[in-house]
Amino acid sequence: MSAYVARKGPAVFSALGKWAYNLSGFNQYGLHRDDCLYEDEDVKKAISRLPKHLYDERNYRITRALHLSMTKTILPKEQWTKYEEDTKYLEPYLKEVIREREEREEWEKDH
C-alpha cells in the first residue's frame, strides 16, 4: 500500500487539494484564491500594483460574490471557478512587496 501511495503521491495530493478547494466554497461564487486573502498592508500594496485589467476583474468577482451572498444564491455549477483554472494572480506582486519590505526593514536595522 505505501509503495502505491509513494508512486501516486502527487496525484493523491492533487486530489486532496482539489477536494479541499471545492469544500471551501468560494469557487461557487466565482472567486479565486487570491480574492480571499486577508488584506494586510502587504496585500493592499500588491493589489495596488495589479495591471488595470486584473484589478478590474478582481473587483468584478468580489462585487458579484457579495451580491450572490446577499441574495443567498451561488453561481450555476458550470460558472464555478475550477481548481485547475484558478491562478494565483496576486502572488508575484505580493512576493515583490514582501521582498521590498524585508529589504527596507533590514536596511533600517543597519542605519
Side-chain angles (χ1 to χ4, degrees):
M1 178 80 168
S2 62
Y4 176 75
V5 172
R7 279 186 275 129
K8 298 290 184 181
V12 170
F13 289 123
S14 177
L16 183 61
K18 188 173 184 174
W19 174 81
Y21 181 87
N22 288 324
L23 187 64
S24 68
F26 64 83
N27 64 322
Q28 298 174 9
Y29 295 96
L31 292 170
H32 291 225
R33 284 176 282 212
D34 285 356
D35 298 336
C36 302
L37 293 175
Y38 175 74
E39 290 190 21
D40 61 12
E41 291 303 312
D42 290 340
V43 172
K44 287 178 184 177
K45 187 172 260 190
I47 290 168
S48 74
R49 294 183 181 189
L50 286 172
K52 183 171 177 16
H53 75 281
L54 288 178
Y55 183 81
D56 290 345
E57 290 170 2
R58 179 180 195 278
N59 284 337
Y60 173 78
R61 286 190 303 271
I62 292 171
T63 301
R64 179 180 58 183
L66 288 170
H67 174 75
L68 289 166
S69 178
M70 288 187 316
T71 59
K72 299 187 184 325
T73 58
I74 59 173
L75 292 170
K77 191 160 186 163
E78 62 272 4
Q79 293 181 26
W80 291 5
T81 305
K82 294 167 188 58
Y83 177 75
E84 301 80 16
E85 296 171 359
D86 191 348
T87 59
K88 294 184 177 183
Y89 66 91
L90 193 60
E91 188 173 0
Y93 303 96
L94 185 56
K95 282 182 177 179
E96 181 179 292
V97 166
I98 291 169
R99 183 186 52 76
E100 290 172 0
R101 178 181 47 79
E102 289 172 345
E103 189 176 297
R104 190 171 39 257
E105 288 170 353
E106 188 64 33
W107 187 85
E108 288 172 356
K109 235 193 303 184
D110 294 338
H111 293 90

